[in-house]
Amino acid sequence: MTDRPALHAYLLGRVEFDALLALQRRLAYDVGGDRDGGAVVVCDHPSGITVGREGSRAHIRPEPEELTARGWPVRWVARGGGVLLHLPGQVACYPVLPLDRLNLTPAAYLVELQLLVIDLLAEYELRGVPDPLAPGVRVNGRRVAHVAAAVRGGVTAFGLVLNVDPDLEPFRAVHCDGDPLPMTSLQRESTARVRVAAVRQRLVEAVAARFGFARVSLFHTHPGLAPRPATHASASATR
Amino acid sequence: MRRTPITLPDLGVARAVLSLWYARVGDRVFAGDRVAEVLIPGATVDVPAPADGVLASQAVLANDPLVAGQMIGEIEAEAGE
């Protein structure tokens, strides 16, 4: 027990979705056992589509053959929200937090995530507004961030995806969160040059500040992400 | 046999829907095991078993609307508990 709760922040690069799911499970296990702490994963994903519980195949316009040609695997995931297209240039921020210690309901937590994004946009002199149709944030009428989470054992998973500077054209093929309007990005809306690294760092700081963490431990890897041999060394030696 | 209701916690929204059951009637569960998943706009939330025992009933089905405090099923204590 400490009166200075610590946030373990994992500033990672590109993380395969399977690896992210395993890492989230591991972090949720850790946080579930020590509810004074918390974690956040900041990363991006290889191009692909995830479909939450509110999503539909109808929101993905390309046929399976075209999805294969584009190299967009489709995964159905146990989170709220709808369809998300993951592209380079986005930043995903996945807090792993005990909601009971934070005294937040799941709905209040989603609001906090939206406010976190709105505050971040304000630093770039942009006025973000919560999306009234589905959790997320809009700038000038277009979605710039998606908020979609899961709560398991009182611990959060998934979180938010922010379009920092992705190629926006591919979004025409996917109605993210069911929204047929084109997406936008932080770089498209901002007059200043936006550095992805700075946004990643600010997201970590924003999560720590908004959820009351006095200390932030910063990691650039996690042992759970280390590549593993396909077979055990002793097993292959006996072949 | 004593039955313990599984009630929907306060999720901070007026309405939620049952997403799916993780347990079937007759499954043996322990307190804290997730037995159902509820969907609110933007998030899924697991509902834990409130007691050890057997899932005795499912009072709601997938996509049924729910409100906080609603009983969604029951856990029946096994003989000897």
Side-chain angles (χ1 to χ4, degrees):
Chain A
M1 178 73 186
T2 173
D3 55 358
R4 298 184 66 225
L7 178 72
H8 286 190
Y10 296 90
L11 264 180
L12 308 176
R14 189 150 301 165
V15 178
E16 296 281 347
F17 218 81
D18 282 337
L20 169 81
L21 296 179
L23 177 59
Q24 278 196 148
R25 279 195 297 270
R26 170 63 190 268
L27 294 175
Y29 180 80
D30 292 345
V31 170
D34 173 18
R35 301 187 95 86
D36 287 327
V40 60
V41 176
V42 177
C43 64
D44 63 280
H45 300 299
S47 298
I49 293 170
T50 57
V51 188
R53 294 280 197 240
E54 296 164 85
S56 163
R57 178 64 178 84
H59 297 152
I60 305 170
R61 297 173 67 186
E63 294 299 319
E65 298 77 17
E66 187 181 346
L67 291 172
T68 303
R70 288 179 182 241
W72 290 355
V74 178
R75 299 191 61 111
W76 296 76
V77 290
R79 59 157 171 78
V83 173
L84 291 184
L85 173 59
H86 300 273
L87 292 173
Q90 292 175 322
V91 174
C93 176
Y94 301 135
V96 182
L97 303 172
L99 288 189
D100 51 353
R101 187 184 68 76
L102 299 173
N103 202 24
L104 289 173
T105 62
Y109 171 67
L110 297 177
V111 171
E112 293 292 330
L113 289 182
Q114 290 175 94
L115 294 175
L116 186 155
V117 173
I118 289 170
D119 287 350
L120 179 69
L121 294 172
E123 295 178 19
Y124 292 88
E125 300 182 352
L126 297 175
R127 183 173 173 274
V129 295
D131 191 329
L133 301 177
V137 177
R138 291 180 183 270
V139 174
N140 294 326
R142 294 183 175 191
R143 278 177 83 93
V144 70
H146 309 279
V147 170
V151 182
R152 298 167 187 151
V155 177
T156 63
F158 300 101
L160 66 93
V161 176
L162 176 64
N163 292 342
V164 178
D165 190 19
D167 179 6
L168 296 173
E169 191 281 332
F171 287 107
R172 294 181 184 280
V174 179
H175 291 173
C176 291
D177 274 338
D179 186 355
L181 292 176
M183 298 287 114
T184 191
S185 70
L186 189 49
Q187 183 62 80
R188 181 178 183 274
E189 301 293 337
S190 175
T191 55
R193 179 168 174 268
V194 178
R195 291 176 54 241
V196 174
V199 174
R200 287 157 49 90
Q201 182 68 37
R202 283 296 299 128
L203 280 170
V204 169
E205 294 165 0
V207 168
R210 182 158 289 275
F211 297 107
F213 290 95
R215 297 176 295 149
V216 179
S217 302
L218 192 59
F219 304 95
H220 291 87
T221 187
H222 187 282
L225 292 173
R228 296 179 181 182
T231 55
H232 193 277
S234 60
S236 57
T238 59
R239 286 183 179 176
Chain B
M1 211 71 74
R2 182 168 50 87
R3 288 193 171 196
T4 306
I6 305 168
T7 55
L8 186 70
D10 179 15
L11 304 177
V13 290
R15 264 197 167 189
V17 296
L18 185 81
S19 181
L20 57 90
W21 281 98
Y22 283 112
R24 293 197 298 187
V25 171
D27 283 354
R28 180 186 299 143
V29 297
F30 290 93
D33 285 350
R34 64 178 185 180
V35 292
E37 180 188 278
V38 169
L39 181 63
I40 65 172
T44 55
V45 185
D46 285 354
V47 179
D52 299 353
V54 172
L55 183 65
S57 70
Q58 296 175 341
V60 292
L61 300 174
N63 297 318
D64 280 356
L66 309 171
V67 295
Q70 181 175 342
M71 192 268 282
I72 64 170
E74 290 177 304
I75 302 289
E76 185 173 277
E78 289 188 285
E81 288 184 5

